[in-house]
Amino acid sequence: QKEVEQNSGPLSVPEGAIASLNCTYSDRGSQSFFWYRQYSGKSPELIMFIYSNGDKEDGRFTAQLNKASQYVSLLIRDSQPSDSATYLCAVEGSGGSNYKLTFGKGTLLTVNP
Amino acid sequence: DAGVTQSPTHLIKTRGQHVTLRCSPISGHKSVSWYQQVLGQGPQFIFQYYEKEERGRGNFPDRFSARQFPNYSSELNVNALLLGDSALYLCASSLEGAGGSFSYEQYFGPGTRLTVT
């Protein structure tokens, strides 16, 4: 059973701080990694994807991938109260299972004004 | 451009009944995936369809079935509903990805919240 692990939180940061969200995965063959944001009562919204080792930046968001350590993270700079949500890490299956995403349980982030 | 649409938004059924959920993908997307999300958990993969063929199936019983139509819209059917089927059912669409990757970036619809009583 391929797994994706996230700290469930809640993670609480003050407004303007950097929020760091972490994710580990068990499938060594996985090549594609995604971060989704989910507000309470809503569906997941894709905010970042990363395929190569290293960092990928998009505005206030930075995704970091280390395939050797099977670790992917999301940094949110200058956190805003509107960033308060559950962040889901998703990993694409490898080989014959590359059609599906396996999700972690999500990390609840609260940004305090 | 319209995103992924799903219908109905909410649904209440009783145990043993049958339900059909519908999804229309983003224009130009040929792949549709279905996920089940129970409270406090991440979405769990049910099916993926591409060009009207099933590309993959998750660990769900045969009571769950789906199909994709020529216009790439899709239906998810669940028979003999159980209380444990109560969840948010999510549809996601994606383009065919480079290198034969079918999941690529998946974009979710608003979901159908199913309550089984």
Side-chain angles (χ1 to χ4, degrees):
Chain A
Q1 180 78 5
K2 307 299 183 183
E3 294 184 347
V4 177
E5 299 287 342
Q6 296 181 253
N7 290 331
S8 61
L11 174 64
S12 183
V13 300
E15 184 174 356
I18 296 175
S20 178
L21 304 160
N22 304 314
C23 173
T24 60
Y25 60 94
S26 64
D27 186 350
R28 280 200 170 275
S30 295
Q31 299 295 320
S32 304
F33 307 87
F34 306 85
W35 284 99
Y36 287 84
R37 177 176 62 198
Q38 187 172 27
Y39 293 112
S40 181
K42 301 296 185 181
S43 64
E45 173 191 10
L46 180 63
I47 54 172
M48 288 287 290
F49 55 89
I50 186 166
Y51 305 134
S52 303
N53 276 329
D55 295 358
K56 178 182 178 182
E57 186 175 320
D58 184 1
R60 296 186 296 112
F61 298 97
T62 299
Q64 300 174 316
L65 175 61
N66 184 326
K67 290 183 181 179
S69 300
Q70 295 175 247
Y71 175 89
V72 59
S73 66
L74 179 70
L75 300 178
I76 307 175
R77 292 182 300 281
D78 188 23
S79 294
Q80 301 296 309
S82 59
D83 294 327
S84 298
T86 296
Y87 289 80
L88 296 163
C89 173
V91 177
E92 184 177 284
S94 63
S97 298
N98 66 349
Y99 49 80
K100 72 174 187 178
L101 295 179
T102 299
F103 284 82
K105 292 183 178 181
T107 298
L108 177 62
L109 172 65
T110 300
V111 180
N112 301 305
Chain B
D1 286 345
V4 179
T5 60
Q6 292 186 245
S7 63
T9 305
H10 295 88
L11 202 53
I12 299 175
K13 293 285 190 178
T14 57
R15 281 176 296 175
Q17 285 189 315
H18 163 89
V19 68
T20 297
L21 311 180
R22 295 178 175 83
C23 170
S24 291
I26 294 169
S27 177
H29 285 195
K30 298 181 179 180
S31 177
V32 169
S33 301
W34 288 95
Y35 292 82
Q36 179 196 65
Q37 187 178 25
V38 299
L39 199 61
Q41 302 291 317
Q44 186 173 0
F45 174 79
I46 309 175
F47 286 109
Q48 186 179 86
Y49 276 77
Y50 175 74
E51 290 282 14
K52 304 183 290 297
E53 291 193 1
E54 182 183 304
R55 284 296 180 178
R57 182 187 183 113
N59 188 26
F60 280 80
D62 291 344
R63 298 184 297 107
F64 289 77
S65 64
R67 56 178 175 169
Q68 187 177 32
F69 300 100
N71 67 352
Y72 304 109
S73 67
S74 178
E75 284 183 352
L76 175 69
N77 294 283
V78 187
N79 293 323
L81 285 166
L82 303 174
L83 295 178
D85 294 331
S86 295
L88 179 66
Y89 287 85
L90 296 161
C91 173
S93 77
S94 56
L95 286 167
E96 180 181 5
S101 167
F102 287 95
S103 65
Y104 206 43
E105 297 123 52
Q106 296 191 19
Y107 297 89
F108 284 93
T112 294
R113 186 161 300 280
L114 172 66
T115 302
V116 182
T117 63

